[in-house]
Amino acid sequence: MTTNPNTAPTSGGTAVGTGGSGPTSVRTGPRPAVLRRGLAVGAVVAAFVLVFLLLAVFTAGTSGGEPFDVRSARPHGTRALAEILRARGVSVTPAETVPVGRRSAGTVVVFQPGRLDRDTLAGLLGQVWQGSDVVLVGADDAVLDVLDVGVRAADENPGGGTVPRCALSEATVAGTVSLTGSLAYTRAAGGDRSGMRAEFCYGEPSTAARLAVLTPGGAAAGGATPGAAAGGGRLVLIGSARFLTNGDLDDGGGAALALGLLARHDTLAWVTPTAASHDAVDTRGPFELLPGGVRWGVLQLAVVVVLLGLWRGRRLGPPVAEPLAVVVRAAESVEGHGRLYAAARARDRSADVLRAGLRVRLAERVGLPLRTGPTGAPEPDPVALVAAVARQSGRSPSDIGSLLYGSGMLAPIDARPGPFGRAVDQARSRGLPPEPPAWPRPSAQPAGPGANPTRSTGLDRAADQPDRALMALARALDDLDRQVGGR
C-alpha cells in the first residue's frame, strides 16, 4: 500500500489525508479503466500490424520473379518476347555477366549497365565495332561518360512519346509505341568524338528522345576498318524497357519495335547483373538500394506512430498532486519509510531524517522561528537552536551540535574550552550515552593464506557497527528530546 510522505501526523497518532475518511487499504494494481485503455491501444496496434503484413504478403505474391526475366510469365517478365524470338530462330540465353570472347556477331541486352565496370563497358563498345548489337537499358550519365559516344542524359522529360519522329527503319515500321520512363537522351555539348552516327526517336529528337541508336560511321570511325563498319553493329540506348514486358508487348507497335531491335542476329545474350562489381561506374548508397516496398512500409509505420502519439499526447499534462483518499496511521507511514531506508541501506539519510525531525520539534518547544532551509524544508537557525537547547538542557554546546547536526554542524559558537571548560563538559555528560563513532566505509580485506571464509565473526561485527551507531544516535536524540521536553 502506498502512502503520501507529505501527510502530517495528527495529535491522535494518525496521518489524515485531505480526501476525508475511508478504508484503510487501497488497490495497489492498475485500475480497470487503465487496463481497458491498454488493451484497446494494443488491439489497435495489432490490427495495424496485421493489415501491413497482409498487404506485404499479397504484394509479394503478385510480384514473383525478377523484372524483365525471360523465364517469368508474369506481367513484368519478358517470356513472351523470348518465345517470339526463339520462334524466329534467335537463340535467347539469360546470363548474369556479359559474355566475353565471342567469335561471331550477336546481340547483347544489358539491364542496369551502371553495375558494370569500365573495362566491361569498353569491351561492349568494342563488340559494337566488331559487328554486334549492344542494347543498354537505363544507361545514365555515369555509363555514357565512360562510353564517350557523344550522347548524354537529357535534362527535359519528353513525356510519353508515341510517334517515332525519326528515319530509323525499325521505328518507322513499328509506328506508335508508348515509351515511358525517367530517362531520355540527347546530343552531348562537346559534339560527336566517337565516330558514330546517332539517331534519336520517340520524343523530341533535338532535345530529348526515349530511344537512341548509334552506328559506326565508317571513314569517320577514326581508324576502324571498313569491314568493321560494314558489319552492321550498333549501340542502342533505351531509357525504359517496359514495352518489352509481357504486359505491354502487345500495346501498339511495341512487339514490332522489339523484334526490329533484337532479332538482327541469331544469338541474343540477355544480361541482368544481380550484383554490382566492386568498381562499378554507378555506385549507390544503402538507402538507394532499398526496394520501394520497404520505404512505403517504413512510411506507414511512421504515420501510425505519429497518429498514436497525437492520440495519446492530448491526455498528457503537468503532474497533479492528488489528495490522500484514506486515513493512514502515522505509525504505518513511519514504518513504511523505515523499511524503504533499510532496504536501500541509507543509514546517512536515516540519521539526517532523525536529526531534522528533532530540530523542528526542539525549535517549537524553545520558541524559535522556522525558516526555509537549503533543501526547502523548514529549519531553525543552527546557532540559536544549539545555544537555546544547551542552556535549557545544561549540556555543552559542542555535544548538542554534534547530536543535532553531526559532521555538518557549523563552527562552535564559543571558543575552544580550556581545562576548566572540558572538566565541566565531562561532568555534565557523565550520565549520557557516548557519542556515536564515525561509520566505517566497507573495504575489501584480502584473505590470508590460512583464512577460513566460513569464520567471519569479525566481518559480521564490522558490518553491524553502522547499524549499532545508528541505534545509539537514535537513543541519544530521544534522550535529548525527553530532556528538553520535560517528559
Side-chain angles (χ1 to χ4, degrees):
M1 180 180 65
T2 58
T3 60
N4 190 350
N6 296 325
T7 305
T10 61
S11 59
T14 59
V16 183
T18 57
S21 62
T24 58
S25 62
V26 294
R27 180 186 178 93
T28 58
R31 297 182 179 181
V34 177
L35 293 177
R36 287 196 297 270
R37 287 198 295 268
L39 292 177
V41 173
V44 172
V45 174
F48 274 110
V49 173
L50 180 61
V51 171
F52 174 74
L53 292 178
L54 292 177
L55 291 177
V57 169
F58 286 121
T59 303
T62 58
S63 61
E66 294 291 334
F68 307 109
D69 187 0
V70 295
R71 293 159 295 192
S72 176
R74 297 191 178 276
H76 60 267
T78 56
R79 183 176 178 180
L81 176 60
E83 294 298 332
I84 295 175
L85 291 173
R86 292 189 180 102
R88 290 177 174 266
V90 179
S91 176
V92 180
T93 305
E96 296 180 0
T97 58
V98 176
V100 295
R102 298 170 62 98
R103 297 183 179 179
S104 59
T107 303
V108 181
V109 181
V110 181
F111 292 85
Q112 297 180 349
R115 295 185 174 184
L116 305 179
D117 55 15
R118 290 177 173 270
D119 295 337
T120 305
L121 291 175
L124 289 175
L125 187 59
Q127 293 185 27
V128 173
W129 284 96
Q130 293 175 2
S132 298
D133 289 354
V134 176
V135 181
L136 302 181
V137 179
D140 54 7
D141 281 332
V143 177
L144 297 177
D145 291 342
V146 174
L147 296 176
D148 193 16
V149 291
V151 179
R152 65 174 180 85
D155 299 330
E156 301 179 4
N157 189 347
T162 57
V163 182
R165 296 183 180 178
C166 64
L168 185 67
S169 59
E170 291 84 351
T172 304
V173 172
T176 301
V177 178
S178 178
L179 295 180
T180 58
S182 59
L183 277 177
Y185 303 101
T186 186
R187 297 185 185 275
D192 185 5
R193 301 184 302 273
S194 63
M196 288 189 172
R197 297 191 304 270
E199 191 77 29
F200 297 92
C201 304
Y202 295 100
E204 295 294 337
S206 59
T207 57
R210 299 290 186 183
L211 174 64
V213 179
L214 293 86
T215 56
T225 61
R234 61 185 183 180
L235 176 64
V236 181
L237 304 177
I238 303 176
S240 174
R242 185 175 178 180
F243 72 99
L244 303 177
T245 60
N246 301 328
D248 296 337
L249 187 61
D250 59 347
D251 186 8
L257 180 62
L259 293 176
L261 297 177
L262 305 179
R264 286 164 41 90
H265 298 280
D266 296 337
T267 59
L268 187 148
W270 196 272
V271 182
T272 54
T274 56
S277 59
H278 65 281
D279 53 353
V281 297
D282 187 9
T283 57
R284 298 183 181 182
F287 293 102
E288 297 177 352
L289 297 176
L290 292 176
V294 175
R295 300 188 184 95
W296 279 108
V298 173
L299 179 60
Q300 293 174 6
L301 291 178
V303 171
V304 170
V305 171
V306 171
L307 293 179
L308 184 62
L310 293 176
W311 172 48
R312 300 297 298 175
R314 63 185 181 86
R315 298 175 179 266
L316 299 179
V320 178
E322 297 183 358
L324 196 61
V326 295
V327 176
V328 181
R329 298 182 180 277
E332 295 182 6
S333 179
V334 172
E335 290 178 1
H337 284 80
R339 292 191 187 98
L340 292 177
Y341 290 139
R345 298 183 181 274
R347 300 183 181 93
D348 294 337
R349 177 62 178 166
S350 302
D352 293 340
V353 171
L354 293 175
R355 288 189 173 106
L358 181 59
R359 289 196 298 266
V360 173
R361 292 194 299 272
L362 293 179
E364 294 176 352
R365 290 176 184 176
V366 299
L368 293 179
L370 299 177
R371 62 181 182 180
T372 303
T375 60
E379 282 282 348
D381 180 59
V383 178
L385 177 64
V386 170
V389 173
R391 183 171 56 254
Q392 187 167 349
S393 63
R395 299 169 62 177
S396 64
S398 60
D399 186 16
I400 300 300
S402 177
L403 283 176
L404 294 181
Y405 292 95
S407 60
M409 177 58 190
L410 300 177
I413 56 177
D414 54 356
R416 176 174 299 181
F420 179 75
R422 288 195 296 268
V424 173
D425 292 342
Q426 293 176 1
R428 291 179 176 178
S429 59
R430 183 170 302 168
L432 299 175
E435 184 178 353
W439 296 347
R441 295 183 179 179
S443 59
Q445 299 181 357
N452 188 356
T454 59
R455 297 181 180 179
S456 55
T457 306
L459 296 178
D460 294 341
R461 187 180 298 110
D464 294 340
Q465 187 174 0
D467 295 334
R468 294 176 181 176
L470 182 61
M471 294 300 297
L473 175 64
R475 287 193 295 269
L477 293 177
D478 185 65
D479 292 341
L480 180 61
D481 189 9
R482 293 175 182 273
Q483 186 177 6
V484 175
R487 294 185 292 164

